[in-house]
Amino acid sequence: MRSSIRRSMPLFPIGTVMKLTDLSARQIRYYEEHQLIHPQRTEGNRRLFSLNDIDRLFEVKDLLDEGINMAGIKKLLLEEGKTVVHSDLKDEEGKGKKDFTDEEVRKLLRKELINAGRFQRPDSSFGEKFRNFH
Amino acid sequence: MRSSIRRSMPLFPIGTVMKLTDLSARQIRYYEEHQLIHPQRTEGNRRLFSLNDIDRLFEVKDLLDEGINMAGIKKLLLEEGKTVVHSDLKDEEGKGKKDFTDEEVRKLLRKELINAGRFQRPDSSFGEKFRNFH
DNA sequence: AAACCTATGTTAGCTAACCTTACATAATAA
DNA sequence: TTATTATGTAAGGTTAGCTAACATAGGTTT
């Protein structure tokens, strides 16, 4: 579809993305280093992020806030393309098409449980984001 | 509606706007000089353009292509501006300010950008531009 | 024709905002 | 304890933005 073209259009410099996502440049570059996003570059080597990239950054942020580490996030997000693994790791038996071993799944779930409820994000509003935007 | 806020959010540096609109930096600044757009500035004085600004630039470009000069374009665009601008402000002061989660922000923003494609003319579509985009 | 606009190009000098690399560190895992 | 992870920060370099000024083709006006 056409929208997918637009969603992957490289549009935003890192400064804009920082403000939109409330992530530091360091964090954003770190997630790129771990292949979670693939922003384009200008001719002069500056990153340009697409809406898909921003989307992905929000996902990474949320998962980190939930206490999941990079290894887990990579597993989760880099699987998404193949399966519609949106919400559940649990009852997707039948087709064993996930690359997780049982052990990995258990490990992830345990960490999730251990860290559950550690953070309750202050749920910043769009208005606030906009106001801090300059 | 809230989309007006999103549409007036300062997001794009001039380089991105140049590619999207096929206008030179000189042209864009010149139209600003003539009050046809009002891009925000970063703390460091760099312009940041909103979707509204980009829409407006397309309008200016079209009118110029039709042979209308700046004086005429000002008359045309600064008349209809009354309504549009006011509805923008009205939205921003909306009192029932419900908080947006990050996910909502992301979805709204994405939708907004996808809708930006509605403004493509047959001769200069986003799709075509995207091919020339790097 | 000469003089004058108008919209845009171009150049120069300045600096914010980006870049990479490297080192530091608190928190967690082993 | 020691190692690893995710992030901060600082240094030093480059790009892409800024303003201001002058240049100019093509249209008007005188």
Side-chain angles (χ1 to χ4, degrees):
Chain A
M1 200 204 292
R2 274 197 110 62
S3 66
S4 65
I5 295 180
R6 268 175 240 120
R7 279 194 285 103
S8 59
M9 265 180 105
L11 296 171
F12 307 100
I14 201 169
T16 295
V17 177
M18 290 169 66
K19 287 172 191 156
L20 284 175
T21 61
D22 269 321
L23 293 168
S24 69
R26 183 66 163 95
Q27 286 174 301
I28 295 168
R29 295 189 191 116
Y30 186 68
Y31 306 152
E32 179 189 21
E33 202 173 287
H34 283 268
Q35 321 268 30
L36 293 171
I37 49 172
H38 304 281
Q40 311 261 191
R41 299 290 182 122
T42 64
E43 219 175 82
N45 201 38
R46 282 161 144 71
R47 289 170 182 84
L48 278 186
F49 298 78
S50 68
L51 281 173
N52 276 340
D53 292 323
I54 292 175
D55 231 33
R56 174 57 66 96
L57 287 173
F58 275 119
E59 291 183 290
V60 172
K61 192 187 178 193
D62 285 347
L63 292 172
L64 278 168
D65 283 352
E66 288 170 27
I68 300 168
N69 68 9
M70 294 298 291
I73 293 172
K74 279 182 187 174
K75 271 290 184 197
L76 287 168
L77 297 187
L78 302 184
E79 281 314 297
E80 254 183 9
K82 314 184 163 192
T83 326
V84 187
V85 123
H86 197 48
S87 51
D88 45 328
L89 303 166
K90 38 185 176 184
D91 49 36
E92 188 66 34
E93 49 222 62
K95 326 293 182 70
K97 65 257 166 240
K98 280 192 302 268
D99 289 345
F100 291 127
T101 66
D102 288 349
E103 185 180 70
E104 283 167 329
V105 174
R106 256 182 268 115
K107 219 173 173 184
L108 287 174
L109 286 175
R110 197 183 68 233
K111 283 182 184 170
E112 257 190 75
L113 286 174
I114 288 172
N115 294 310
R118 228 177 27 161
F119 306 97
Q120 66 288 58
R121 303 194 293 104
D123 193 35
S124 56
S125 76
F126 190 70
E128 274 169 33
K129 284 188 196 314
F130 185 64
R131 236 168 278 118
N132 295 338
F133 215 91
H134 54 268
Chain B
M1 233 212 328
R2 305 232 171 230
S3 69
S4 310
I5 296 180
R6 273 170 266 128
R7 295 190 67 80
S8 59
M9 230 174 142
L11 297 170
F12 307 100
I14 201 168
T16 295
V17 177
M18 289 169 64
K19 287 174 191 154
L20 285 175
T21 61
D22 268 322
L23 292 168
S24 69
R26 183 66 162 95
Q27 287 175 300
I28 295 168
R29 295 188 192 117
Y30 185 69
Y31 305 153
E32 179 190 21
E33 202 172 287
H34 282 268
Q35 322 268 27
L36 293 171
I37 49 173
H38 302 91
Q40 311 262 269
R41 300 291 182 122
T42 64
E43 223 174 77
N45 200 38
R46 281 160 148 72
R47 288 169 183 84
L48 279 185
F49 299 77
S50 68
L51 286 168
N52 276 339
D53 291 324
I54 292 175
D55 283 350
R56 173 57 66 95
L57 287 173
F58 275 123
E59 292 185 286
V60 172
K61 194 186 178 194
D62 283 351
L63 293 173
L64 278 168
D65 284 351
E66 289 171 25
I68 300 169
N69 66 10
M70 282 290 121
I73 294 174
K74 279 184 188 173
K75 268 285 185 205
L76 287 168
L77 297 188
L78 300 187
E79 291 310 305
E80 81 177 33
K82 305 235 167 186
T83 332
V84 174
V85 167
H86 275 216
S87 68
D88 254 23
L89 296 176
K90 213 186 298 178
D91 281 339
E92 198 160 345
E93 57 156 356
K95 283 307 176 187
K97 45 185 171 186
K98 191 186 69 175
D99 277 355
F100 283 73
T101 64
D102 283 346
E103 190 182 10
E104 283 171 318
V105 173
R106 149 172 56 104
K107 281 182 177 164
L108 291 175
L109 205 86
R110 163 186 279 186
K111 195 171 156 198
E112 204 60 50
L113 234 96
I114 289 172
N115 284 339
R118 282 188 297 113
F119 294 89
Q120 61 195 17
R121 265 73 33 71
D123 50 315
S124 63
S125 73
F126 257 43
E128 276 174 34
K129 287 186 193 322
F130 182 62
R131 262 166 243 127
N132 302 333
F133 215 87
H134 60 276

